[in-house]
Amino acid sequence: MAIQGFRNKKINIKKDMTDIFEIFADLSYFGVFLVLVGVNSPPILMPPTWIILSSFYALDPSLNPILLAIVGATGATIGRSILKKISGLFRKFVGHEQKSNLDIIGDFLNRKKYGYVFASFLFAATPLPSNVLFITYGLMKAKSFGIYVGFWCGRALSYYVMISISNIVLTPLLQIFEERYVAILIIDAVGIVSVILFTSFDWALFITQRKLKLVRPKLWRL
């Protein structure tokens, strides 16, 4: 019964996938790579990437879960690096106090031997939205290679786990867009607010005295 149910699920997924997605699926691992780069480059309105990888695996179970996770993590890392560069272009619109706060937290992470590695791994290996992290990295003008090492390792691990249990938790990709689009918008809105709040903390006060204080948010100087 379980096997038959999974086969029926694969049939339903195939019916729900768009023609574009099927074209990428035909490209095997290279298609996975291209999709993951594309999905991780925009700052908002993208579905969870493990859903995409699980959908690829459901369409073609001959794909190796470990290799699929590695390819997916590589595409996701390149995509997030693009997002980081794009976000850096908007630093000139950030208020002076927010810039100062970003520089302080950046200097703090630079002083820690594996600061960026741990921060990136934490976001990549957990359900935390990594777009928020890389937007912040971009505004900080962070340049540590540890950003990508930690993110790649975390994503490879989390992708492999999610692909391995995809027959239990998989939701068709199209359903994410049609039935949970509002949820995606809400998550993205929360992420944007989180970036604003992050830049509004007085990080110098927190690092030196362990006290929390908010600086009046003047993020955008238009």
Side-chain angles (χ1 to χ4, degrees):
M1 291 295 292
I3 296 176
Q4 184 62 38
F6 182 63
R7 288 177 178 173
N8 291 335
K9 183 182 293 185
K10 288 196 296 180
I11 293 173
N12 291 332
I13 291 173
K14 290 181 179 180
K15 291 180 179 179
D16 289 337
M17 292 298 175
T18 62
D19 292 338
I20 293 178
F21 188 80
E22 289 179 348
I23 290 174
F24 281 111
D26 290 339
L27 295 176
S28 189
Y29 294 107
F30 184 61
V32 174
F33 174 78
L34 292 178
V35 171
L36 267 290
V37 171
V39 169
N40 281 274
S41 299
I44 57 175
L45 302 181
M46 292 292 111
T49 48
W50 72 265
I51 292 288
I52 296 175
L53 285 176
S54 297
S55 298
F56 270 112
Y57 186 60
L59 284 172
D60 186 3
S62 66
L63 295 172
N64 183 286
I66 295 178
L67 184 55
L68 187 60
I70 290 174
V71 172
T74 303
T77 302
I78 293 175
R80 286 309 190 205
S81 70
I82 294 173
L83 173 60
K84 175 179 168 291
K85 290 182 180 180
I86 294 174
S87 301
L89 299 176
F90 291 90
R91 180 180 168 89
K92 61 183 178 181
F93 298 114
V94 176
H96 175 73
E97 291 179 329
Q98 277 68 41
K99 281 183 181 178
S100 178
N101 283 329
L102 288 169
D103 292 339
I104 288 170
I105 193 64
D107 291 339
F108 176 77
L109 290 174
N110 281 323
R111 291 197 301 270
K112 301 296 181 180
K113 188 174 182 180
Y114 299 108
Y116 282 110
V117 174
F118 285 135
S120 297
F121 182 85
L122 175 65
F123 273 78
T126 63
L128 294 172
S130 62
N131 59 333
V132 175
L133 179 69
F134 279 84
I135 290 172
T136 304
Y137 280 157
L139 294 175
M140 289 167 55
K141 291 290 185 179
K143 297 181 180 180
S144 173
F145 186 70
I147 291 172
Y148 307 109
V149 173
F151 184 76
W152 187 92
C153 292
R155 274 292 184 252
L157 175 62
S158 62
Y159 284 164
Y160 175 72
V161 171
M162 297 310 295
I163 292 170
S164 298
I165 62 174
S166 62
N167 61 324
I168 300 174
V169 300
L170 177 63
T171 301
L173 178 62
L174 204 58
Q175 183 179 345
I176 291 295
F177 286 104
E178 292 182 348
E179 298 181 6
R180 302 183 185 179
Y181 195 71
V182 175
I184 294 175
L185 288 174
I186 293 175
I187 292 173
D188 286 333
V190 170
I192 293 172
V193 172
S194 298
V195 172
I196 295 175
L197 288 176
F198 182 86
T199 60
S200 297
F201 275 111
D202 189 333
W203 289 105
L205 184 66
F206 177 76
I207 292 173
T208 58
Q209 302 181 31
R210 293 297 186 269
K211 294 182 180 179
L212 289 176
K213 179 183 177 182
L214 282 175
V215 178
R216 185 178 178 182
K218 296 179 180 179
L219 187 59
W220 304 112
R221 299 187 294 106
L222 297 177

